[in-house]
Amino acid sequence: MWFLFFATLIFSGLWWAVLAWYKKQRLRTRIVGNGVFSVQINAAGKHILNLKKLCGRRTADCINRKTEACLTIENNKLEKYAVRVTIQGYTVGYLPCASAINLRHALINAGLGKVKLLECAANIRGTWDAGQREQGNFGVWLDLPK
């Protein structure tokens, strides 16, 4: 009797976990650009620290790392059209206002107005260190369609 009770409890827990995963995946959409990586995000302050955590310390060579980014549509009081960019769980910046507006309008026109999470390719560039206080800045460019 106890076995049947626990088996039912475990099965129902697994069922709810699968249902939650499916619901989350349904609200996540993959965006494919043309491979140009033409949209640079706005990163400053703590976002630069997060990029340092992702890339490690500066070297003489420039980093040119391709990765995946997650775009989160936010309802931000300060910025009406805010789109946060995260890489591996770290917030690395926000889309520029014009790009965020264009993205939101494109989603609505495509019938995807309820989508809140997007994935796209990203390229982290910069971080060179030539010594004598000559260092390059971090930058993140996204591969978004026009």
Side-chain angles (χ1 to χ4, degrees):
M1 174 103 175
W2 285 105
F3 174 75
L4 186 60
F5 173 74
F6 285 117
T8 305
L9 189 64
I10 290 171
F11 178 74
S12 65
L14 287 174
W15 173 252
W16 286 109
V18 168
L19 189 63
W21 174 83
Y22 175 75
K23 194 174 186 181
K24 185 177 178 183
Q25 293 302 316
R26 191 178 53 164
L27 295 177
R28 182 176 294 213
T29 302
R30 174 98 177 126
I31 299 175
V32 179
N34 55 8
V36 176
F37 296 93
S38 59
V39 178
Q40 184 178 10
I41 66 166
N42 297 329
K46 64 183 176 182
H47 303 136
I48 298 295
L49 294 176
N50 287 339
L51 282 168
K52 287 181 181 179
K53 289 176 189 175
L54 288 168
C55 296
R57 63 184 201 91
R58 296 174 188 267
T59 63
D61 296 324
C62 186
I63 281 183
N64 189 17
R65 180 181 300 165
K66 291 200 168 108
T67 186
E68 293 295 313
C70 183
L71 309 177
T72 305
I73 310 271
E74 292 185 343
N75 292 325
N76 192 330
K77 292 179 182 177
L78 297 175
E79 181 63 50
K80 184 177 178 182
Y81 296 102
V83 177
R84 182 170 32 103
V85 180
T86 57
I87 297 176
Q88 297 176 8
Y90 291 103
T91 299
V92 295
Y94 285 83
L95 276 181
C97 188
S99 296
I101 291 170
N102 290 338
L103 177 67
R104 285 181 175 226
H105 287 302
L107 288 172
I108 291 169
N109 292 338
L112 300 170
K114 293 187 178 185
V115 171
K116 298 295 179 195
L117 291 173
L118 303 160
E119 293 176 344
C120 70
N123 190 357
I124 302 172
R125 301 179 193 153
T127 73
W128 54 270
D129 187 353
Q132 299 175 357
R133 297 185 180 159
E134 292 184 32
Q135 296 180 337
N137 292 325
F138 286 98
V140 177
W141 283 261
L142 302 177
D143 186 22
L144 297 176
K146 294 228 177 221

